[in-house]
């Protein structure tokens, strides 16, 4: 557990009534308002409809990108296996940390992010299960289609293996076996939520690990600080697993997705303000202490750090997509 060596009584009214607090509140509020406006503009321009009667081509949102690997040669079961193993490990680590800290662990941004990544892999595992099911159903439909074609060409009466298989265009199914499904069966809203989790996690894991390894670990003096395996685990494994999943999946993150990441951090900061207004307690991160004369500077720097943290992860994904499209053009899925 990390605690500051000095704690200022934040429950006093004088703590909050000064220009530093006003400036920090204004900067955080401005970032969150701009993030909400960006999300509103982005979503208002999208055609998010979930009516099963609507043609899938008229939608901006599909469901298969949540479980499709980036290459056709990679079976969705591989992505499923990785997500299940990752989710199991993250959940076990979270339970151990929660038990050891008796719930205080959620006082830190690190555990917020770690929990978010755990939820991401949990949702991803369920979507990958659905993807494997639809691929299996698609393969069975292909077998049924081939038998029907042989029956029409050669004459022998062969029983249909799956008489209730959907009559999907054979050309479309054979062109891409991973997309060989009834796309309208998956609720696009779950893919949409999963993509939001991916965008938040992409920035949050970079932000968490960079702040810890570049600022907290080398420069800040903390009391009762135990540097152990769990500490390294919480500030490293989240990035490694999410990065590996990003390499395997076919999702992208747009610049506008950083708005969700900004809101995530903003909610945490407001949570800290509310806690400290009610209880005189240490700040989990010293640069959040509004009593510091450098508080406005720290808040500004943390806000600006969101751009390179999110941008770096986005750059990695774009490089991956570019490399795969050039190196494996026939197998590239995205």
């Amino acid at each position: 557990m990390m605690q500051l060596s000095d704690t200022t009584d934040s429950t006093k009214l004088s703590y909050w009534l000064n220009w530093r607090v006003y400036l920090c509140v204004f900067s955080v509020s401005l970032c969150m308002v701009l993030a909400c406006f960006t999300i509103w503009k982005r979503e208002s321009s999208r055609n998010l409809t979930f009516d099963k009667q609507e043609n899938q081509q008229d939608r901006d949102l599909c469901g298969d990108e949540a479980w499709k690997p980036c290459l056709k040669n990679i079976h969705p079961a591989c992505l499923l296996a990785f997500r299940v193993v990752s989710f199991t490990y993250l959940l076990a680590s979270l339970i151990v940390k929660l038990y050891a800290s008796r719930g205080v662990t959620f006082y830190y941004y690190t555990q917020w992010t770690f929990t978010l990544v755990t939820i991401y892999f949990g949702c991803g595992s369920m979507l990958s299960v659905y993807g494997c099911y639809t691929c299996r159903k698609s393969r069975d439909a292909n077998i049924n289609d081939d038998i029907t074609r042989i029956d029409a060409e050669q004459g022998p009466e062969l029983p249909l293996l799956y008489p209730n298989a959907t009559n999907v265009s054979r050309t479309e199914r054979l062109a891409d076996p991973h997309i060989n499904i009834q796309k309208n069966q998956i609720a696009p809203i779950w893919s949409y939520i999963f993509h939001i989790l991916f965008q938040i996690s992409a920035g949050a894991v970079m932000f968490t690990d960079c702040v810890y390894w570049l600022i907290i670990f080398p420069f800040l003096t903390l009391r009762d600080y135990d540097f152990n395996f769990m500490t390294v685990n919480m500030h490293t494994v989240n990035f490694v697993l999410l990065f590996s999943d990003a390499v395997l999946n076919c999702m992208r993150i747009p610049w506008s997705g950083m708005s969700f990441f900004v809101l995530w951090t903003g909610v945490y900061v407001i949570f800290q303000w509310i806690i400290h207004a009610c209880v005189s307690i240490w700040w989990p991160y010293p640069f959040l202490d509004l009593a510091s004369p450098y508080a406005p500077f720290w808040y500004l720097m943390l806000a600006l750090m969101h751009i390179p943290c999110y941008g770096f992860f986005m750059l990695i994904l774009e490089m991956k997509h570019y490399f795969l499209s050039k190196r494996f053009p026939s197998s590239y899925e995205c």
Side-chain angles (χ1 to χ4, degrees):
M1 184 182 300
M2 298 185 300
Q3 299 184 19
L4 289 176
S5 56
D6 296 312
T7 301
T8 304
D9 188 357
S10 58
T11 60
K12 294 181 179 179
L13 190 60
S14 58
Y15 181 90
W16 301 94
L17 298 180
N18 62 78
W19 67 272
R20 295 187 303 272
V21 174
Y22 298 151
L23 190 57
C24 292
V25 170
F26 173 78
S27 61
V28 172
S29 301
L30 179 61
C31 290
M32 296 185 70
V33 169
L34 290 177
C36 291
F37 178 76
T38 302
I39 294 173
W40 175 75
K41 290 291 291 183
R42 172 192 174 187
E43 303 311 318
S44 63
S45 64
R46 294 181 58 154
N47 185 19
L48 290 180
T49 53
F50 309 108
D51 184 5
K52 291 185 179 181
Q53 301 299 324
E54 185 179 357
N55 191 319
Q56 183 72 25
Q57 294 179 351
D58 295 333
R59 301 178 185 170
D60 292 332
L61 185 63
C62 299
D64 54 5
E65 71 275 2
W67 55 263
K68 272 199 321 182
C70 54
L71 297 176
K72 297 178 184 178
N73 296 334
I74 302 177
H75 195 276
C78 297
L79 186 56
L80 168 62
F82 174 77
R83 286 175 171 175
V84 170
V85 172
S86 298
F87 173 71
T88 303
Y89 180 83
L90 291 171
L91 183 61
S93 298
L94 192 61
I95 292 175
V96 170
K97 186 67 175 181
L98 182 62
Y99 176 79
S101 66
R102 298 179 181 179
V104 181
T105 184
F106 287 105
Y107 187 55
Y108 299 94
Y109 186 85
T110 297
Q111 272 64 51
W112 279 43
T113 300
F114 201 88
T115 303
L116 176 69
V117 177
T118 304
I119 295 173
Y120 167 83
F121 277 103
C123 293
S125 298
M126 291 187 292
L127 288 170
S128 290
V129 168
Y130 177 85
C132 291
Y133 166 76
T134 53
C135 280
R136 172 66 179 272
K137 187 175 181 180
S138 173
R139 184 182 63 181
D140 295 342
N142 278 337
I143 295 174
N144 184 79
D145 184 80
D146 290 339
I147 293 177
T148 303
R149 177 176 55 81
I150 294 174
D151 180 66
E153 293 177 354
Q154 300 182 1
E157 295 184 359
L158 297 177
L160 294 179
L161 296 181
Y162 301 92
N164 295 325
T166 306
N167 185 21
V168 184
S169 170
R170 177 175 178 272
T171 302
E172 179 183 353
R173 289 200 303 268
L174 295 180
D176 189 350
H178 283 171
I179 310 181
N180 183 11
I181 61 173
Q182 293 186 54
K183 294 183 181 179
N184 289 340
Q185 290 182 349
I186 188 170
I189 184 61
W190 288 109
S191 177
Y192 177 67
I193 294 173
F194 183 69
H195 193 221
I196 290 177
L197 291 176
F198 184 55
Q199 293 171 86
I200 300 175
S201 300
V205 296
M206 289 295 303
F207 186 73
T208 300
D209 295 354
C210 286
V211 168
Y212 179 79
W213 291 112
L214 299 181
I215 299 178
I216 295 178
F217 179 75
F219 298 113
L220 299 182
T221 301
L222 302 169
R223 185 185 67 209
D224 299 331
Y225 178 59
D226 183 20
F227 185 80
N228 51 34
F229 167 78
M230 189 57 68
T231 303
V232 177
N233 180 57
M234 287 283 174
H235 296 90
T236 306
V237 174
N238 52 4
F239 171 76
V240 172
L241 294 181
L242 187 67
F243 175 78
S244 301
D245 187 83
V247 171
L248 289 173
N249 68 42
C250 66
M251 292 192 295
R252 297 175 182 267
I253 56 174
W255 268 114
S256 58
M258 189 174 66
S259 302
F260 295 106
F261 169 36
V262 171
L263 288 179
W264 173 260
T265 305
V267 170
Y268 174 79
V269 171
I270 294 176
F271 165 76
Q272 286 296 327
W273 289 348
I274 295 175
I275 292 295
H276 284 81
C278 300
V279 182
S280 180
I281 192 174
W282 75 92
W283 287 87
Y285 306 102
F287 38 75
L288 293 181
D289 189 356
L290 296 170
S292 170
Y294 303 105
F297 169 77
W298 278 114
Y299 274 76
L300 176 61
M301 293 303 297
L302 291 174
L304 294 177
M305 279 187 64
H306 283 65
I307 299 175
C309 288
Y310 187 87
F312 179 74
F313 205 98
M314 182 179 175
L315 177 62
I316 293 176
L317 289 184
E318 293 303 318
M319 291 176 61
K320 181 203 78 170
H321 289 297
Y322 177 80
F323 172 78
L324 293 179
S325 63
K326 298 297 183 183
R327 183 67 177 82
F328 308 98
S330 60
S331 183
Y332 179 62
E333 281 275 75
C334 309

